[in-house]
Amino acid sequence: MRLDNLFFANGVAVAPGDEYVLVSETGAGRIRRLWLKNARAGSDDAYQPGLPGAPDNLSIDANGIVWVALAGLRNPEFEKLADRPFVRKLLGALPARALMPKGDRGVIVGLDGAGAVVYNLQAADSPFTTSTSAGRWDDELYIGSLGTDAVGVLTIGD
């Protein structure tokens, strides 16, 4: 699969051992896996086909957990426009702030090697409702967001 065939590639992370590349498709709410090595090289599959929101950046920690920042939860009204390219094109001309997902919940998920959710971190009324990045170092998860000029630090265990 060529990268230009993806719905909208945003976050990218290379797996340990360079076996595959994960690509988040923000608008589609999913993560694809592009195989680089072994018999699957050159093919792709759905690593995580149905996230509850818009995945942004990806990172992989020392334990192989893929951390996914969700910039916002899915909006059923916007999803109704998926088959209306002209309307989506018009919306694309709006300022980015106008299209930012609204919500009161910051969401970060941690996925295992098969794409299953092993961490589901949510915070109501969080200043990190538009989470754009999450990266783990030892027992701390560092979180970035478009909604604040701070960096969030969350202590997590295994």
Side-chain angles (χ1 to χ4, degrees):
M1 169 175 225
R2 293 179 15 202
L3 285 178
D4 61 353
N5 289 338
L6 296 171
F7 186 84
F8 175 68
N10 198 353
V12 177
V14 179
D18 301 334
E19 189 174 5
Y20 54 82
V21 175
L22 295 175
V23 180
S24 69
E25 296 179 284
T26 303
R30 65 184 176 208
I31 299 172
R32 306 248 352 129
R33 178 173 33 205
L34 308 171
W35 291 94
L36 302 175
K37 293 184 176 180
N38 70 35
R40 298 183 207 166
S43 67
D44 71 290
D45 60 18
Y47 170 75
Q48 181 26 271
L51 292 165
D56 201 352
N57 290 302
L58 308 173
S59 68
I60 302 176
D61 70 18
N63 299 320
I65 301 296
V66 177
W67 293 99
V68 183
L70 298 181
L73 297 177
R74 287 188 174 174
N75 181 328
E77 296 304 315
F78 277 142
E79 289 187 21
K80 290 178 186 175
L81 302 176
D83 63 347
R84 298 175 183 236
F86 179 72
V87 175
R88 286 193 345 244
K89 187 173 183 176
L90 289 175
L91 288 173
L94 293 173
R97 271 283 170 215
L99 299 174
M100 296 283 286
K102 304 290 186 244
D104 64 350
R105 183 167 299 279
V107 182
I108 304 287
V109 294
L111 308 172
D112 67 11
V117 175
V118 292
Y119 289 93
N120 181 352
L121 309 174
Q122 300 187 32
D125 298 322
S126 168
F128 295 91
T129 56
T130 310
S131 301
T132 55
S133 59
R136 184 175 179 179
W137 184 261
D138 292 329
D139 287 337
E140 294 183 322
L141 188 66
Y142 294 87
I143 303 166
S145 171
L146 292 176
T148 182
D149 59 0
V151 173
V153 181
L154 180 62
T155 300
I156 58 174
D158 289 328

